[in-house]
Amino acid sequence: MISLHVQAEQWPIDGEFTISRGSKTTADIVVCAISAELNGRTVRGRGECVPYARYGETIDSVIEEINSVAIDIKSGLDRQGLLANLPAGAARNAVDCALWDFDAKRDSTSVAAQLIIPSPNPLLTAYTLSLDTPQTMGRLAAANAERRLLKIKVGRDDDLACIEAVATGAPNSRIIVDANEAWSPDDLPEMLAACAELNVALVEQPLPAEDDAVLAEIAHPVPICADESMHAASDVPALAALYDMVNIKLDKTGGLTEALNAKQMAMEHGLGVMIGCMVGTSLAMAPAVLLAQDADFIDLDGPLLLAKDRDDGLHYFDDLVSPPTPALWG
């Protein structure tokens, strides 16, 4: 008999993580576990998600969504069936990734093998500097100047000073600027021009999603990546006329299954692909590391922002992140 278990967990952040919408000191997550006794052995698959208030999600609402499919899971609901039973979002992500892990362990194989990735490689990941004063961000950039890719959170009146401070502090690093919808249409051309002068590699979701149409009317001196505007594969055709890239996050697509669809759709429409994350543990990052094997940009640094990570977590060394071991996921 297959059983489903769900629980909330809280993981302390190393300090405080701040973006344009606010600050937090903990990563509040939900873990779904699917298990069964099969042929004398216990098979258990896990998936982790991060409920996000931006999309109306809470810990309680996500747990309720996951529990709503418990009977279906016990009856044999598979990943394709799950796409029709739950909407895109954090809850479906946790269940979908738990099913991938469960199926791999049941069949004594790996998710990488199922995805025809015989030898997944360590990947260069961005390291995120949260929103702060220009002085503090410049100091943190200098402390991480050996990293090849830095991502910085912006969204205040002194954004240009912050970007300049980071570029000065880490002159050899490529920089992703993430505004989390905080810039205005009137200011955008000037901000993009300044980013181009500072050799910024990518600007992520500069405008509120409802203002996306503006992006078709202005020059893109720096590539622009959709984040809050990008959820599932069905979003891609419209975004292709506005953006240069899309940021695919499992908590938005609702799991690895739909993320694979979204990635394929993005490539078919000529969009670059970034694989990103919420602030979570290695269990949340593990499926995304496999998804990101041929991505253009990778931002899977969630565990590096925590005070501690799970046992058997992903191995981060220099500015690389390793594929997951079976003890963690997949």
Side-chain angles (χ1 to χ4, degrees):
M1 175 71 71
I2 298 176
S3 64
L4 181 149
H5 175 74
V6 58
Q7 69 180 37
E9 296 179 356
Q10 193 172 73
W11 293 76
I13 289 172
D14 185 12
E16 186 175 74
F17 186 71
T18 302
I19 67 172
S20 62
R21 279 189 285 274
S23 302
K24 62 181 182 179
T25 57
T26 60
D28 300 308
I29 69 171
V30 175
V31 175
C32 173
I34 296 172
S35 58
E37 295 294 326
L38 299 173
N39 300 320
R41 65 188 180 102
T42 300
V43 177
R44 182 169 179 259
R46 299 182 299 164
E48 176 184 323
C49 70
V50 182
Y52 199 27
R54 166 67 176 80
Y55 307 124
E57 297 174 335
T58 66
I59 292 289
D60 289 343
S61 72
V62 165
I63 289 175
E64 183 178 356
E65 273 195 86
I66 292 173
N67 281 327
S68 74
V69 296
I71 294 176
D72 297 312
I73 294 294
K74 292 176 183 178
S75 300
L77 183 72
D78 63 11
R79 297 190 300 269
Q80 291 301 319
L82 182 66
L83 293 179
N85 275 257
L86 284 180
R92 194 174 75 191
N93 177 33
V95 180
D96 179 76
C97 290
L99 284 170
W100 277 98
D101 192 27
F102 178 87
D103 290 348
K105 289 179 168 60
R106 178 198 61 202
D107 298 337
S108 298
T109 183
S110 68
V111 175
Q114 293 175 341
L115 297 176
I116 318 178
I117 308 173
S119 299
N121 295 311
L123 301 172
L124 171 67
T125 180
Y127 179 74
T128 304
L129 306 181
S130 71
L131 180 60
D132 212 311
T133 65
Q135 294 77 14
T136 297
M137 295 185 75
R139 175 177 56 80
L140 291 173
N144 290 278
E146 78 284 355
R147 296 182 182 274
R148 287 172 284 177
L149 185 61
L150 292 176
K151 176 173 173 174
I152 65 172
K153 295 291 188 176
V154 297
R156 297 192 307 204
D157 291 341
D158 58 358
D159 280 350
L160 281 181
C162 290
I163 299 168
E164 290 173 354
V166 170
T168 300
N172 297 319
S173 301
R174 300 179 76 199
I175 297 171
I176 301 168
V177 172
D178 186 3
N180 287 113
E181 303 182 281
W183 291 353
S184 72
D186 290 342
D187 294 335
L188 185 58
E190 177 186 355
M191 297 299 293
L192 291 176
C195 286
E197 290 182 6
L198 292 168
N199 295 315
V200 168
L202 187 68
V203 171
E204 194 175 342
Q205 195 72 40
L207 300 177
E210 60 266 25
D211 291 332
D212 272 353
V214 173
L215 299 176
E217 303 169 0
I218 64 170
H220 293 202
V222 176
I224 304 176
C225 180
D227 183 358
E228 283 85 351
S229 294
M230 170 64 199
H231 295 264
S234 59
D235 296 322
V236 170
L239 294 176
L242 305 170
Y243 286 92
D244 306 291
M245 300 188 66
V246 291
N247 187 347
I248 298 173
K249 295 179 180 176
L250 301 185
D251 277 313
K252 295 186 299 173
T253 64
L256 180 59
T257 302
E258 177 61 17
L260 291 163
N261 296 334
K263 179 182 172 185
Q264 181 62 35
M265 182 73 76
M267 295 172 66
E268 290 174 359
H269 281 77
L271 289 169
V273 171
M274 179 178 183
I275 305 301
C277 67
M278 308 300 187
V279 181
T281 77
S282 282
L283 181 58
M285 307 300 124
V289 171
L290 299 183
L291 178 70
Q293 285 295 304
D294 56 353
D296 300 289
F297 285 88
I298 295 132
D299 176 27
L300 298 177
D301 64 341
L304 297 179
L305 306 177
L306 300 177
K308 64 175 182 177
D309 192 14
R310 296 186 186 277
D311 295 339
D312 302 310
L314 295 174
H315 180 45
Y316 289 86
F317 55 102
D318 296 329
D319 49 10
L320 302 175
V321 57
S322 64
T325 63
L328 174 66
W329 185 88

